[in-house]
Amino acid sequence: MASVAPASTELRFHKESGQVHAITTDGTPEIPHVVPNHQNHAALAEGGANTNAAAQVLNVFQPKTSMNSQSPGGAQPERSQPGITKLPPAAENPYVLPESPERIAKIPEFPPGADISNAQRKAAGIYIPAPLPDQRAVNTQLPLPNTQHDELTENPTTTIEPSQDDDSVLVVVPTHYVFIFANPKSGNQQGDPLVKLNIQHYRLRDRPHVQVQIYNFLSDKERSAGLKYLRLLLRKPWDIKQVHVWSAGGDGTLMGVVEGMISTGIDVNDDRIFFSVVPFGTGNDLSQVLGWGRFVSGKDVAGHHLDGLNSMVVDRLEGHPARLDVWEVHIDTYEEGWIREAGKDKKHSNLKRKMSNYASIGIQGRVGAGFEENRRGSRVLNAMEYTRQSLDMLVHGVTRVNRSIKSIVVEDENGHTEEFPLNKRKEMRVRKAPVELVIQNIPGMWGRQVDLWGTAKMSPTILRKESGPTDLKGWTPNTANDGKLEIFGISSLKSYLAKQLPWGRHSLQRVGQFPTGTSIHFKQGEHIHAMVDGEFYEITSPKSMSFRRVMQIRLVGPQLDQKESRLVRDEVEKRAELPGPTGEGERPGVDFEVVPPEEAARPGDLDG
């Protein structure tokens, strides 16, 4: 590998113009550290072609060699207060030149495209990401900061105070960014005033190291600009400590943001990235289990002088991380089949999308499809419409899932498969097959933080075949970071409605805990409705619906001494490592009680 010497870039502050210019040693303009100019985001992200406009910034530069190493000439920076570095007097300070009217900061930087070794990166004190990893690779040991007793960050402010003369300047460098992708049409449309604010980005006055960026998730132009700027931040050698990415919308918005980041070439497993959600939708299941509540009150969530928005920013910056499995759902159809998303006309022969919450086949998909066709502009009216669609099932009746589902198939990493038939009553221990099949990742559903698997009394699988994922003795507590999906059924429409209430959740039709590589196979020619993370689909002649875990991402929930967060508690208590399905032990009937499944077959019932 050829040796490459670092180039030098001078950042020159002109007192008269109030501008900072970045000039390389050969006299050509160079891209400065941070350019908070929305109009230049796309140009910068594509390589910084518009450098003349980009060179005019005021308050975002720092000398890389002065913060963490000894200053040239032997002078050592003095800590005047936490987060503030006070440089030595001008006579000893290479960054302050008394005889010059300009402030000059030299920043070691490598030429674009240079072949840089790890040793050179380390010596220069810069961060250059490695090639983007295959997003299909699952990091099962995703590292988390040690934040059980502290905030997500220590005091992160990096500032420079060159001197105390008349023309001294104080520079505060953003080290924490918050990207908010708001859906203006979700729920009560609370995201609409947010995207209409007459600002696109701003700094917190009491936390000047934090910069907030706001983008309209439904605008292709704004979303693309935000994602490209995010990519630029993560790829440039800047001292960026954390980047928080929020989805402000419904349950499906977060996965839309993740998909956009991946398609833009961003590594969502970068250890500086933390995700969070703002509950603007109708159900907001993920927000509830994460600890941020079911909704945000008020129409103007930004509040007077942005107080409401700033409060949300601070709460999440001081939160606790928790991991979340992300799954890829692939729905395929037979040759004559098609898939149509509710509320849209276009039909597809197959569908691939990400899932973080849960999926279902049966009642909820059918109710949701009718709901989407009649969605209102108010959360209350939407809830009423959803209830109306649910009650409509009483009139038209329901179909049991074994009419359309043939079997559940598990394929291991070596390509070996195991089939669990589900289409005949003789293959089940219950009198009636389920009317709804739920495939759950997070411990919450139905917009009410309902954890059916965890709250119902423990029961064995409804399948007669007990092996691997259907064997009760191999189950563990359900968490959102264990690489497993809990699959269970709901026995009847009456049970479906009763389970909306706390006293109706004592029993359940558990099928099993299934790993990545699980797929549900259907009989040809059937017609079903399905739901994935709040999006509803009508499917004719489905062939298969497969689930594969593709990654884990880091979320941020509240500290447990501030608010309750199921995901954070599971992380802190390491519930995924506890023995047995309830975490109390592995011996059914000894360590924990086991009851028959809901609608269990009675003695004398005939198979058929």
Side-chain angles (χ1 to χ4, degrees):
M1 182 181 298
S3 175
V4 181
S8 178
T9 300
E10 293 183 351
L11 304 179
R12 301 193 174 186
F13 178 81
H14 295 266
K15 293 182 294 183
E16 292 81 4
S17 65
Q19 296 176 345
V20 176
H21 294 268
I23 307 296
T24 59
T25 49
D26 60 1
T28 60
E30 178 57 51
I31 305 174
H33 268 58
V34 179
V35 184
N37 186 336
H38 178 49
Q39 285 72 27
N40 294 322
H41 287 182
L44 287 169
E46 295 302 330
N50 190 12
T51 52
N52 287 326
Q56 299 179 4
V57 278
L58 302 176
N59 61 346
V60 290
F61 304 99
Q62 79 178 90
K64 284 285 182 180
T65 57
S66 66
M67 296 299 100
N68 302 313
S69 61
Q70 189 172 2
S71 301
Q76 189 69 17
E78 172 194 350
R79 287 283 178 183
S80 56
Q81 63 185 74
I84 303 291
T85 296
K86 190 172 183 180
L87 297 183
E92 306 172 18
N93 185 6
Y95 300 99
V96 178
L97 305 181
E99 70 280 6
S100 169
E102 300 171 335
R103 306 294 178 199
I104 300 177
K106 293 181 179 292
I107 302 174
E109 195 163 342
F110 294 103
D115 190 10
I116 310 301
S117 69
N118 288 335
Q120 288 172 309
R121 292 190 193 103
K122 185 175 181 181
I126 66 174
Y127 173 83
I128 299 178
L132 190 67
D134 187 345
Q135 294 291 347
R136 293 175 298 178
V138 178
N139 183 358
T140 57
Q141 300 296 327
L142 196 60
L144 292 170
N146 181 13
T147 57
Q148 188 165 351
H149 303 292
D150 301 322
E151 300 179 9
L152 271 174
T153 65
E154 298 176 358
N155 193 317
T157 309
T158 304
T159 65
I160 306 169
E161 190 176 358
S163 69
Q164 299 297 326
D165 55 21
D166 294 338
D167 54 2
S168 64
V169 294
L170 182 69
V171 180
V172 180
V173 180
T175 57
H176 289 56
Y177 281 78
V178 178
F179 281 74
I180 304 175
F181 293 91
N183 186 337
K185 293 186 177 180
S186 290
N188 275 357
Q189 301 181 2
Q190 291 168 293
D192 190 55
L194 197 60
V195 300
K196 288 180 178 177
L197 286 173
N198 198 28
I199 56 171
Q200 194 275 323
H201 60 266
Y202 70 96
R203 301 263 202 96
L204 272 65
R205 184 178 294 276
D206 58 343
R207 295 172 186 243
H209 61 282
V210 178
Q211 180 158 314
V212 179
Q213 307 279 141
I214 305 171
Y215 300 94
N216 185 340
F217 177 73
L218 297 185
S219 166
D220 291 341
K221 183 178 181 180
E222 277 200 38
R223 185 178 65 252
S224 177
L227 292 172
K228 289 177 179 178
Y229 185 37
L230 175 56
R231 182 182 65 183
L232 174 69
L233 281 176
L234 293 168
R235 289 188 173 183
K236 278 293 184 178
W238 303 330
D239 188 19
I240 304 300
K241 294 181 180 294
Q242 291 180 10
V243 176
H244 291 249
V245 181
W246 299 2
S247 67
D251 284 324
T253 307
L254 175 61
M255 288 298 99
V257 173
V258 171
E259 294 265 25
M261 292 173 66
I262 294 172
S263 64
T264 309
I266 297 172
D267 176 13
V268 297
N269 289 140
D270 188 309
D271 60 10
R272 295 169 294 174
I273 295 178
F274 295 87
F275 292 91
S276 195
V277 292
V278 181
F280 284 171
T282 302
N284 303 311
D285 291 300
L286 181 58
S287 176
Q288 291 185 73
V289 297
L290 188 54
W292 299 122
R294 187 179 179 185
F295 58 88
V296 178
S297 60
K299 185 68 175 178
D300 182 11
V301 296
H304 187 59
H305 296 314
L306 299 180
D307 289 344
L309 184 56
N310 291 345
S311 178
M312 285 192 284
V313 171
V314 172
D315 285 347
R316 284 158 175 79
L317 288 177
E318 295 178 349
H320 194 291
R323 293 168 297 168
L324 175 72
D325 290 336
V326 175
W327 300 76
E328 182 177 81
V329 181
H330 182 197
I331 305 175
D332 200 8
T333 64
Y334 288 98
E335 186 176 354
E336 71 279 10
W338 48 262
I339 305 166
R340 183 180 70 86
E341 184 176 351
K344 299 181 180 179
D345 297 326
K346 191 172 183 179
K347 297 178 179 179
H348 307 271
S349 60
N350 62 80
L351 171 74
K352 279 188 178 181
R353 57 157 297 163
K354 299 291 187 296
M355 180 190 84
S356 62
N357 295 6
Y358 66 101
S360 65
I361 301 167
I363 294 178
Q364 189 174 12
R366 183 172 161 184
V367 169
F371 162 74
E372 284 294 337
E373 304 290 350
N374 299 277
R375 180 183 281 273
R376 313 294 179 87
S378 158
R379 184 179 289 112
V380 174
L381 292 177
N382 282 339
M384 292 174 62
E385 178 62 29
Y386 201 89
T387 301
R388 187 183 75 82
Q389 292 291 336
S390 298
L391 294 175
D392 192 55
M393 303 290 286
L394 292 171
V395 178
H396 296 93
V398 295
T399 303
R400 301 197 174 274
V401 297
N402 66 330
R403 175 176 173 178
S404 56
I405 295 178
K406 184 166 53 177
S407 64
I408 300 176
V409 177
V410 178
E411 181 178 0
D412 64 22
E413 57 186 10
N414 297 318
H416 302 137
T417 61
E418 185 173 9
E419 185 175 16
F420 299 86
L422 197 68
N423 65 326
K424 295 180 181 178
R425 222 201 68 183
K426 67 180 181 180
E427 295 160 343
M428 293 186 242
R429 297 174 167 170
V430 292
R431 287 176 288 153
K432 298 177 181 180
V435 296
E436 172 94 343
L437 198 67
V438 179
I439 305 96
Q440 178 178 276
N441 182 42
I442 65 171
M445 56 187 292
W446 292 347
R448 295 173 178 84
Q449 203 167 344
V450 176
D451 175 17
L452 288 182
W453 183 281
T455 57
K457 294 179 181 178
M458 187 50 57
S459 55
T461 178
I462 62 172
L463 302 184
R464 294 200 182 277
K465 181 178 180 180
E466 289 187 85
S467 172
T470 62
D471 186 353
L472 171 66
K473 294 187 291 295
W475 294 351
T476 56
N478 69 310
T479 64
N481 60 14
D482 59 359
K484 299 177 184 178
L485 295 170
E486 286 72 31
I487 300 182
F488 55 89
I490 297 173
S491 63
S492 64
L493 179 58
K494 178 182 177 181
S495 178
Y496 175 79
L497 296 174
K499 282 178 171 49
Q500 310 281 338
L501 306 171
W503 54 84
R505 303 169 192 164
H506 58 276
S507 58
L508 197 64
Q509 288 190 336
R510 290 182 174 85
V511 179
Q513 277 187 328
F514 289 80
T516 184
T518 295
S519 57
I520 299 171
H521 292 248
F522 300 88
K523 303 172 187 176
Q524 189 169 0
E526 294 297 327
H527 181 261
I528 68 168
H529 288 86
M531 186 280 300
V532 181
D533 276 3
E535 304 294 337
F536 304 95
Y537 302 93
E538 180 184 7
I539 310 172
T540 292
S541 198
K543 185 176 184 180
S544 64
M545 185 175 185
S546 62
F547 300 85
R548 183 170 60 89
R549 189 177 73 158
V550 291
M551 69 184 77
Q552 281 187 332
I553 60 175
R554 297 175 188 83
L555 301 177
V556 175
Q559 295 284 350
L560 292 179
D561 60 354
Q562 301 294 324
K563 295 180 181 179
E564 175 57 29
S565 168
R566 171 63 188 271
L567 299 191
V568 171
R569 185 168 297 281
D570 287 349
E571 194 74 58
V572 171
E573 297 178 356
K574 300 182 178 180
R575 281 188 54 80
E577 301 175 14
L578 297 179
T582 65
E584 300 169 306
E586 300 175 341
R587 299 171 297 174
V590 177
D591 297 322
F592 56 92
E593 182 185 4
V594 179
V595 301
E598 186 177 31
E599 298 285 343
R602 295 170 297 193
D605 282 349
L606 296 177
D607 292 337

